Amino acid sequence: HSRAFLWLALGLLCMGMVSSGVMVHIPNFLDELAMNAGFVISVLSIGRLIGTFSTGVIMDKLGLVKALLISTVLFVGGMVCLVFTSPEAAILPYIMALLVGLSVCVASVAPPMLTSEIFGMKSYSSLYGLNYAIFLIGCVLGPIICGIIYEVSGYNLVWLIYIVFAIGMFFFAAMGIKAGKKQRARMAAETVTE
């Protein structure tokens, strides 16, 4: 469709990988360290619950780009906590759980918001269906990529690579918004001159 679509597709792919990739591996990682994964996942679920209620409000008050930036910063903070998690630093998984829980719920709101922000409402249904499929591909690839990286290098490299995916999520989505504004302005100018 356009450069805006390409940026958005990359952003949604990264968003899918971020939202699902580490979730299935956190319990295994904590189990390897003989730490209680059950309570940590409960804290993560509480973070998701709070984040689900607050994400829409944050998007309304600060805008989509700032909400995505906040989500990215929270997720990166969670991954940094995992990098330094050890039995001696037993509080870090709980901090990670809250940060990641607050951050990943953006994935439930951002795909439709990004689609309408970048392309408007014309052809929204068909574009959103395609965009959501790309997001879901990221959700499928995320745990697989985590598993492959873990088998090769261990979990610390997984957490570091997922920091890169989170930054990619923000960067690509922001570039998609910027390209979409330019595209809509160009299309509006062409309509006026006709």
Side-chain angles (χ1 to χ4, degrees), residues 139-173:
C139 290
V140 169
L141 292 176
I144 295 168
I145 291 170
C146 273
I148 291 168
I149 296 167
Y150 166 72
E151 291 295 327
V152 172
S153 297
Y155 277 121
N156 274 351
L157 184 60
V158 169
W159 313 140
L160 294 172
I161 288 174
Y162 270 75
I163 288 172
V164 174
F165 287 150
I167 293 168
M169 172 192 76
F170 172 75
F171 173 77
F172 295 136

Side-chain angles (χ1 to χ4, degrees), residues 27-102:
N28 295 336
F29 170 68
L30 296 174
D31 190 53
E32 276 187 5
L33 297 174
M35 300 178 83
N36 183 352
F39 192 65
V40 171
I41 298 303
S42 294
V43 172
L44 193 142
S45 296
I46 291 168
R48 287 184 79 146
L49 181 66
I50 294 166
T52 298
F53 288 117
S54 62
T55 297
V57 173
I58 292 168
M59 284 184 179
D60 288 344
K61 297 245 185 246
L62 301 177
L64 186 54
V65 173
K66 288 181 183 172
L68 286 169
L69 179 61
I70 290 168
S71 176
T72 301
V73 169
L74 291 171
F75 186 85
V76 167
M79 293 302 96
V80 169
C81 287
L82 285 176
V83 168
F84 293 104
T85 291
S86 69
E88 295 77 31
I91 191 72
L92 289 178
Y94 299 100
I95 296 170
M96 171 281 304
L98 190 58
L99 294 174
V100 169
L102 289 169

Side-chain angles (χ1 to χ4, degrees), residues 124-148:
Y124 173 81
S125 297
S126 60
L127 285 171
Y128 176 65
L130 181 57
N131 289 336
Y132 197 70
I134 292 167
F135 168 77
L136 291 175
I137 290 168
C139 290
V140 169
L141 292 176
I144 295 168
I145 291 170
C146 273
I148 291 168

